[in-house]
mmCIF file of all heavy atoms in Angstrom:
data_model
loop_
_atom_site.group_PDB
_atom_site.id
_atom_site.type_symbol
_atom_site.label_atom_id
_atom_site.label_comp_id
_atom_site.label_asym_id
_atom_site.label_seq_id
_atom_site.Cartn_x
_atom_site.Cartn_y
_atom_site.Cartn_z
ATOM 1 N N GLU A 44 0.555 -2.259 -6.477
ATOM 2 C CA GLU A 44 1.199 -1.112 -5.844
ATOM 3 C C GLU A 44 2.371 -0.632 -6.693
ATOM 4 O O GLU A 44 2.988 -1.414 -7.429
ATOM 5 C CB GLU A 44 1.747 -1.470 -4.453
ATOM 6 C CG GLU A 44 0.738 -2.012 -3.474
ATOM 7 C CD GLU A 44 0.769 -3.515 -3.409
ATOM 8 O OE1 GLU A 44 1.170 -4.143 -4.411
ATOM 9 O OE2 GLU A 44 0.408 -4.082 -2.353
ATOM 10 N N SER A 45 2.672 0.635 -6.544
ATOM 11 C CA SER A 45 3.842 1.211 -7.197
ATOM 12 C C SER A 45 4.293 2.429 -6.404
ATOM 13 O O SER A 45 3.548 2.921 -5.546
ATOM 14 C CB SER A 45 3.537 1.606 -8.649
ATOM 15 O OG SER A 45 2.510 2.578 -8.685
ATOM 16 N N GLY A 46 5.507 2.890 -6.688
ATOM 17 C CA GLY A 46 5.992 4.112 -6.079
ATOM 18 C C GLY A 46 7.030 3.943 -4.994
ATOM 19 O O GLY A 46 7.544 4.925 -4.459
ATOM 20 N N GLY A 47 7.340 2.698 -4.640
ATOM 21 C CA GLY A 47 8.347 2.484 -3.617
ATOM 22 C C GLY A 47 9.736 2.869 -4.102
ATOM 23 O O GLY A 47 9.950 3.130 -5.290
ATOM 24 N N GLY A 48 10.680 2.889 -3.173
ATOM 25 C CA GLY A 48 12.049 3.224 -3.539
ATOM 26 C C GLY A 48 12.881 3.556 -2.333
ATOM 27 O O GLY A 48 12.491 3.298 -1.193
ATOM 28 N N LEU A 49 14.030 4.152 -2.608
ATOM 29 C CA LEU A 49 14.984 4.543 -1.568
ATOM 30 C C LEU A 49 14.905 6.051 -1.377
ATOM 31 O O LEU A 49 14.951 6.813 -2.357
ATOM 32 C CB LEU A 49 16.392 4.129 -1.979
ATOM 33 C CG LEU A 49 17.547 4.599 -1.084
ATOM 34 C CD1 LEU A 49 17.442 3.976 0.301
ATOM 35 C CD2 LEU A 49 18.888 4.248 -1.755
ATOM 36 N N VAL A 50 14.807 6.469 -0.127
ATOM 37 C CA VAL A 50 14.719 7.893 0.178
ATOM 38 C C VAL A 50 15.464 8.160 1.479
ATOM 39 O O VAL A 50 15.566 7.275 2.338
ATOM 40 C CB VAL A 50 13.235 8.331 0.284
ATOM 41 C CG1 VAL A 50 12.537 7.639 1.440
ATOM 42 C CG2 VAL A 50 13.104 9.841 0.391
ATOM 43 N N GLN A 51 15.993 9.357 1.608
ATOM 44 C CA GLN A 51 16.672 9.724 2.843
ATOM 45 C C GLN A 51 15.661 10.101 3.918
ATOM 46 O O GLN A 51 14.533 10.521 3.612
ATOM 47 C CB GLN A 51 17.608 10.902 2.590
ATOM 48 C CG GLN A 51 18.853 10.545 1.794
ATOM 49 C CD GLN A 51 19.853 11.683 1.752
ATOM 50 O OE1 GLN A 51 19.488 12.841 1.831
ATOM 51 N NE2 GLN A 51 21.127 11.341 1.611
ATOM 52 N N ALA A 52 16.083 9.960 5.152
ATOM 53 C CA ALA A 52 15.226 10.350 6.269
ATOM 54 C C ALA A 52 14.804 11.808 6.112
ATOM 55 O O ALA A 52 15.609 12.657 5.734
ATOM 56 C CB ALA A 52 15.959 10.143 7.587
ATOM 57 N N GLY A 53 13.534 12.057 6.392
ATOM 58 C CA GLY A 53 12.978 13.383 6.210
ATOM 59 C C GLY A 53 12.357 13.606 4.849
ATOM 60 O O GLY A 53 11.673 14.612 4.633
ATOM 61 N N GLY A 54 12.594 12.696 3.943
ATOM 62 C CA GLY A 54 12.075 12.826 2.588
ATOM 63 C C GLY A 54 10.641 12.327 2.459
ATOM 64 O O GLY A 54 9.996 11.963 3.450
ATOM 65 N N SER A 55 10.168 12.304 1.216
ATOM 66 C CA SER A 55 8.783 11.925 0.929
ATOM 67 C C SER A 55 8.711 10.924 -0.208
ATOM 68 O O SER A 55 9.589 10.884 -1.083
ATOM 69 C CB SER A 55 7.963 13.166 0.545
ATOM 70 O OG SER A 55 7.923 14.110 1.593
ATOM 71 N N LEU A 56 7.663 10.133 -0.181
ATOM 72 C CA LEU A 56 7.339 9.227 -1.274
ATOM 73 C C LEU A 56 5.830 9.153 -1.372
ATOM 74 O O LEU A 56 5.122 9.321 -0.377
ATOM 75 C CB LEU A 56 7.877 7.812 -1.017
ATOM 76 C CG LEU A 56 9.327 7.487 -1.332
ATOM 77 C CD1 LEU A 56 9.631 6.054 -0.904
ATOM 78 C CD2 LEU A 56 9.639 7.678 -2.809
ATOM 79 N N ARG A 57 5.333 8.862 -2.572
ATOM 80 C CA ARG A 57 3.913 8.612 -2.742
ATOM 81 C C ARG A 57 3.722 7.239 -3.365
ATOM 82 O O ARG A 57 4.213 6.977 -4.466
ATOM 83 C CB ARG A 57 3.232 9.672 -3.603
ATOM 84 C CG ARG A 57 1.713 9.523 -3.591
ATOM 85 C CD ARG A 57 0.999 10.588 -4.386
ATOM 86 N NE ARG A 57 0.980 10.316 -5.811
ATOM 87 C CZ ARG A 57 0.072 10.778 -6.658
ATOM 88 N NH1 ARG A 57 -0.906 11.551 -6.195
ATOM 89 N NH2 ARG A 57 0.140 10.512 -7.950
ATOM 90 N N LEU A 58 3.001 6.401 -2.669
ATOM 91 C CA LEU A 58 2.664 5.078 -3.179
ATOM 92 C C LEU A 58 1.284 5.109 -3.826
ATOM 93 O O LEU A 58 0.408 5.851 -3.393
ATOM 94 C CB LEU A 58 2.665 4.047 -2.049
ATOM 95 C CG LEU A 58 3.933 3.945 -1.211
ATOM 96 C CD1 LEU A 58 3.792 2.804 -0.196
ATOM 97 C CD2 LEU A 58 5.158 3.754 -2.072
ATOM 98 N N SER A 59 1.137 4.288 -4.835
ATOM 99 C CA SER A 59 -0.156 4.151 -5.510
ATOM 100 C C SER A 59 -0.594 2.701 -5.467
ATOM 101 O O SER A 59 0.227 1.795 -5.492
ATOM 102 C CB SER A 59 -0.059 4.605 -6.972
ATOM 103 O OG SER A 59 0.333 5.948 -7.066
ATOM 104 N N CYS A 60 -1.889 2.509 -5.434
ATOM 105 C CA CYS A 60 -2.472 1.165 -5.496
ATOM 106 C C CYS A 60 -3.625 1.219 -6.487
ATOM 107 O O CYS A 60 -4.659 1.836 -6.215
ATOM 108 C CB CYS A 60 -2.964 0.711 -4.132
ATOM 109 S SG CYS A 60 -3.863 -0.863 -4.178
ATOM 110 N N ALA A 61 -3.432 0.577 -7.614
ATOM 111 C CA ALA A 61 -4.456 0.566 -8.654
ATOM 112 C C ALA A 61 -5.254 -0.725 -8.573
ATOM 113 O O ALA A 61 -4.683 -1.819 -8.561
ATOM 114 C CB ALA A 61 -3.802 0.691 -10.029
ATOM 115 N N ALA A 62 -6.570 -0.580 -8.531
ATOM 116 C CA ALA A 62 -7.469 -1.731 -8.477
ATOM 117 C C ALA A 62 -8.060 -1.977 -9.847
ATOM 118 O O ALA A 62 -8.492 -1.048 -10.530
ATOM 119 C CB ALA A 62 -8.580 -1.494 -7.461
ATOM 120 N N SER A 63 -8.068 -3.237 -10.251
ATOM 121 C CA SER A 63 -8.663 -3.608 -11.532
ATOM 122 C C SER A 63 -9.501 -4.859 -11.352
ATOM 123 O O SER A 63 -9.546 -5.441 -10.277
ATOM 124 C CB SER A 63 -7.580 -3.818 -12.589
ATOM 125 O OG SER A 63 -6.721 -4.874 -12.205
ATOM 126 N N GLY A 64 -10.144 -5.271 -12.431
ATOM 127 C CA GLY A 64 -11.047 -6.401 -12.327
ATOM 128 C C GLY A 64 -12.392 -5.920 -11.799
ATOM 129 O O GLY A 64 -12.902 -4.902 -12.249
ATOM 130 N N ARG A 65 -12.942 -6.602 -10.843
ATOM 131 C CA ARG A 65 -14.241 -6.220 -10.281
ATOM 132 C C ARG A 65 -14.031 -5.214 -9.152
ATOM 133 O O ARG A 65 -14.478 -5.410 -8.017
ATOM 134 C CB ARG A 65 -14.983 -7.443 -9.787
ATOM 135 C CG ARG A 65 -15.258 -8.466 -10.895
ATOM 136 C CD ARG A 65 -15.939 -9.708 -10.407
ATOM 137 N NE ARG A 65 -17.303 -9.476 -9.973
ATOM 138 C CZ ARG A 65 -18.356 -9.480 -10.783
ATOM 139 N NH1 ARG A 65 -18.196 -9.675 -12.071
ATOM 140 N NH2 ARG A 65 -19.564 -9.266 -10.303
ATOM 141 N N ALA A 66 -13.324 -4.132 -9.502
ATOM 142 C CA ALA A 66 -12.939 -3.145 -8.496
ATOM 143 C C ALA A 66 -14.144 -2.479 -7.859
ATOM 144 O O ALA A 66 -14.063 -1.972 -6.742
ATOM 145 C CB ALA A 66 -12.014 -2.103 -9.117
ATOM 146 N N PHE A 67 -15.278 -2.491 -8.556
ATOM 147 C CA PHE A 67 -16.461 -1.834 -7.997
ATOM 148 C C PHE A 67 -16.972 -2.562 -6.768
ATOM 149 O O PHE A 67 -17.793 -2.058 -6.023
ATOM 150 C CB PHE A 67 -17.564 -1.732 -9.050
ATOM 151 C CG PHE A 67 -17.948 -3.058 -9.659
ATOM 152 C CD1 PHE A 67 -18.890 -3.868 -9.053
ATOM 153 C CD2 PHE A 67 -17.359 -3.490 -10.831
ATOM 154 C CE1 PHE A 67 -19.242 -5.084 -9.606
ATOM 155 C CE2 PHE A 67 -17.700 -4.694 -11.392
ATOM 156 C CZ PHE A 67 -18.654 -5.508 -10.776
ATOM 157 N N ASN A 68 -16.498 -3.801 -6.572
ATOM 158 C CA ASN A 68 -16.906 -4.573 -5.396
ATOM 159 C C ASN A 68 -16.134 -4.201 -4.137
ATOM 160 O O ASN A 68 -16.499 -4.611 -3.048
ATOM 161 C CB ASN A 68 -16.702 -6.067 -5.643
ATOM 162 C CG ASN A 68 -17.806 -6.669 -6.491
ATOM 163 O OD1 ASN A 68 -18.878 -6.091 -6.612
ATOM 164 N ND2 ASN A 68 -17.542 -7.821 -7.077
ATOM 165 N N VAL A 69 -15.084 -3.435 -4.308
ATOM 166 C CA VAL A 69 -14.252 -3.104 -3.158
ATOM 167 C C VAL A 69 -14.831 -1.908 -2.430
ATOM 168 O O VAL A 69 -15.122 -0.890 -3.050
ATOM 169 C CB VAL A 69 -12.806 -2.815 -3.593
ATOM 170 C CG1 VAL A 69 -11.971 -2.397 -2.397
ATOM 171 C CG2 VAL A 69 -12.201 -4.049 -4.242
ATOM 172 N N TYR A 70 -14.968 -2.043 -1.129
ATOM 173 C CA TYR A 70 -15.588 -0.978 -0.342
ATOM 174 C C TYR A 70 -14.578 -0.248 0.517
ATOM 175 O O TYR A 70 -14.643 0.958 0.665
ATOM 176 C CB TYR A 70 -16.684 -1.563 0.542
ATOM 177 C CG TYR A 70 -17.657 -0.537 1.045
ATOM 178 C CD1 TYR A 70 -18.843 -0.288 0.379
ATOM 179 C CD2 TYR A 70 -17.382 0.196 2.199
ATOM 180 C CE1 TYR A 70 -19.731 0.665 0.828
ATOM 181 C CE2 TYR A 70 -18.260 1.149 2.648
ATOM 182 C CZ TYR A 70 -19.435 1.378 1.972
ATOM 183 O OH TYR A 70 -20.308 2.330 2.418
ATOM 184 N N THR A 71 -13.652 -1.002 1.090
ATOM 185 C CA THR A 71 -12.647 -0.418 1.977
ATOM 186 C C THR A 71 -11.259 -0.782 1.468
ATOM 187 O O THR A 71 -11.012 -1.924 1.100
ATOM 188 C CB THR A 71 -12.800 -0.952 3.413
ATOM 189 O OG1 THR A 71 -14.115 -0.660 3.881
ATOM 190 C CG2 THR A 71 -11.779 -0.323 4.340
ATOM 191 N N MET A 72 -10.379 0.191 1.452
ATOM 192 C CA MET A 72 -8.986 -0.033 1.057
ATOM 193 C C MET A 72 -8.075 0.323 2.223
ATOM 194 O O MET A 72 -8.409 1.200 3.030
ATOM 195 C CB MET A 72 -8.629 0.833 -0.147
ATOM 196 C CG MET A 72 -9.419 0.509 -1.400
ATOM 197 S SD MET A 72 -8.953 -1.073 -2.110
ATOM 198 C CE MET A 72 -7.303 -0.690 -2.684
ATOM 199 N N ALA A 73 -6.950 -0.353 2.286
ATOM 200 C CA ALA A 73 -6.020 -0.092 3.384
ATOM 201 C C ALA A 73 -4.584 -0.292 2.929
ATOM 202 O O ALA A 73 -4.319 -0.931 1.913
ATOM 203 C CB ALA A 73 -6.324 -1.015 4.558
ATOM 204 N N TRP A 74 -3.691 0.278 3.698
ATOM 205 C CA TRP A 74 -2.259 0.052 3.544
ATOM 206 C C TRP A 74 -1.736 -0.625 4.804
ATOM 207 O O TRP A 74 -2.067 -0.208 5.930
ATOM 208 C CB TRP A 74 -1.523 1.367 3.328
ATOM 209 C CG TRP A 74 -1.754 1.992 1.995
ATOM 210 C CD1 TRP A 74 -2.676 2.962 1.685
ATOM 211 C CD2 TRP A 74 -1.056 1.715 0.780
ATOM 212 N NE1 TRP A 74 -2.588 3.278 0.350
ATOM 213 C CE2 TRP A 74 -1.597 2.542 -0.223
ATOM 214 C CE3 TRP A 74 -0.011 0.842 0.434
ATOM 215 C CZ2 TRP A 74 -1.141 2.519 -1.544
ATOM 216 C CZ3 TRP A 74 0.439 0.834 -0.867
ATOM 217 C CH2 TRP A 74 -0.118 1.660 -1.841
ATOM 218 N N PHE A 75 -0.936 -1.659 4.596
ATOM 219 C CA PHE A 75 -0.218 -2.329 5.666
ATOM 220 C C PHE A 75 1.265 -2.295 5.290
ATOM 221 O O PHE A 75 1.623 -2.047 4.146
ATOM 222 C CB PHE A 75 -0.674 -3.786 5.808
ATOM 223 C CG PHE A 75 -2.046 -3.939 6.404
ATOM 224 C CD1 PHE A 75 -3.184 -3.719 5.630
ATOM 225 C CD2 PHE A 75 -2.217 -4.305 7.727
ATOM 226 C CE1 PHE A 75 -4.459 -3.865 6.168
ATOM 227 C CE2 PHE A 75 -3.485 -4.456 8.280
ATOM 228 C CZ PHE A 75 -4.601 -4.237 7.492
ATOM 229 N N ARG A 76 2.108 -2.584 6.244
ATOM 230 C CA ARG A 76 3.528 -2.690 5.961
ATOM 231 C C ARG A 76 4.144 -3.792 6.804
ATOM 232 O O ARG A 76 3.647 -4.126 7.877
ATOM 233 C CB ARG A 76 4.241 -1.362 6.219
ATOM 234 C CG ARG A 76 4.273 -0.932 7.677
ATOM 235 C CD ARG A 76 4.879 0.458 7.790
ATOM 236 N NE ARG A 76 4.960 0.902 9.186
ATOM 237 C CZ ARG A 76 5.358 2.113 9.559
ATOM 238 N NH1 ARG A 76 5.716 3.020 8.639
ATOM 239 N NH2 ARG A 76 5.415 2.420 10.838
ATOM 240 N N GLN A 77 5.248 -4.331 6.273
ATOM 241 C CA GLN A 77 5.947 -5.396 6.977
ATOM 242 C C GLN A 77 7.436 -5.153 6.895
ATOM 243 O O GLN A 77 8.028 -5.196 5.804
ATOM 244 C CB GLN A 77 5.593 -6.769 6.392
ATOM 245 C CG GLN A 77 6.128 -7.924 7.193
ATOM 246 C CD GLN A 77 5.483 -9.233 6.795
ATOM 247 O OE1 GLN A 77 4.853 -9.351 5.751
ATOM 248 N NE2 GLN A 77 5.639 -10.235 7.642
ATOM 249 N N ALA A 78 8.033 -4.897 8.037
ATOM 250 C CA ALA A 78 9.477 -4.698 8.122
ATOM 251 C C ALA A 78 10.137 -6.062 8.276
ATOM 252 O O ALA A 78 9.505 -7.022 8.732
ATOM 253 C CB ALA A 78 9.813 -3.796 9.295
ATOM 254 N N PRO A 79 11.404 -6.175 7.911
ATOM 255 C CA PRO A 79 12.114 -7.456 8.036
ATOM 256 C C PRO A 79 12.043 -8.003 9.452
ATOM 257 O O PRO A 79 12.325 -7.289 10.422
ATOM 258 C CB PRO A 79 13.549 -7.092 7.654
ATOM 259 C CG PRO A 79 13.413 -5.901 6.776
ATOM 260 C CD PRO A 79 12.253 -5.130 7.319
ATOM 261 N N GLY A 80 11.615 -9.252 9.572
ATOM 262 C CA GLY A 80 11.560 -9.901 10.863
ATOM 263 C C GLY A 80 10.394 -9.493 11.742
ATOM 264 O O GLY A 80 10.308 -9.902 12.894
ATOM 265 N N LYS A 81 9.487 -8.696 11.196
ATOM 266 C CA LYS A 81 8.345 -8.234 11.979
ATOM 267 C C LYS A 81 7.042 -8.643 11.317
ATOM 268 O O LYS A 81 7.005 -9.012 10.150
ATOM 269 C CB LYS A 81 8.399 -6.720 12.152
ATOM 270 C CG LYS A 81 9.581 -6.235 12.971
ATOM 271 C CD LYS A 81 9.468 -4.753 13.254
ATOM 272 C CE LYS A 81 10.616 -4.275 14.137
ATOM 273 N NZ LYS A 81 10.502 -2.823 14.433
ATOM 274 N N GLU A 82 5.973 -8.553 12.102
ATOM 275 C CA GLU A 82 4.661 -8.883 11.565
ATOM 276 C C GLU A 82 4.133 -7.720 10.723
ATOM 277 O O GLU A 82 4.539 -6.576 10.890
ATOM 278 C CB GLU A 82 3.689 -9.177 12.708
ATOM 279 C CG GLU A 82 3.977 -10.471 13.436
ATOM 280 C CD GLU A 82 2.756 -10.995 14.174
ATOM 281 O OE1 GLU A 82 1.705 -10.346 14.151
ATOM 282 O OE2 GLU A 82 2.880 -12.072 14.780
ATOM 283 N N ARG A 83 3.213 -8.067 9.844
ATOM 284 C CA ARG A 83 2.587 -7.047 9.016
ATOM 285 C C ARG A 83 1.703 -6.173 9.912
ATOM 286 O O ARG A 83 0.922 -6.676 10.716
ATOM 287 C CB ARG A 83 1.756 -7.709 7.917
ATOM 288 C CG ARG A 83 1.343 -6.761 6.815
ATOM 289 C CD ARG A 83 0.744 -7.526 5.646
ATOM 290 N NE ARG A 83 1.711 -8.445 5.052
ATOM 291 C CZ ARG A 83 1.493 -9.104 3.917
ATOM 292 N NH1 ARG A 83 0.355 -8.938 3.267
ATOM 293 N NH2 ARG A 83 2.399 -9.918 3.440
#
């Protein structure tokens, strides 16, 4: 993953996730997040 950072409320960011290796085997991709002290 890449593209994270600090932004003000109301702003925008774009994250990227580059797959390598046997990437052709991947069928479904997803994004999850985990805030401090919380579950993913």
Side-chain angles (χ1 to χ4, degrees):
E44 303 98 334
S45 61
L49 173 64
V50 64
Q51 288 189 332
S55 299
L56 278 176
R57 189 178 81 155
L58 305 184
S59 300
C60 173
S63 62
R65 300 177 68 86
F67 56 86
N68 281 341
V69 177
Y70 199 95
T71 302
M72 297 290 291
W74 289 95
F75 288 78
R76 67 186 181 185
Q77 188 166 16
K81 295 188 177 181
E82 290 202 358
R83 194 170 298 189

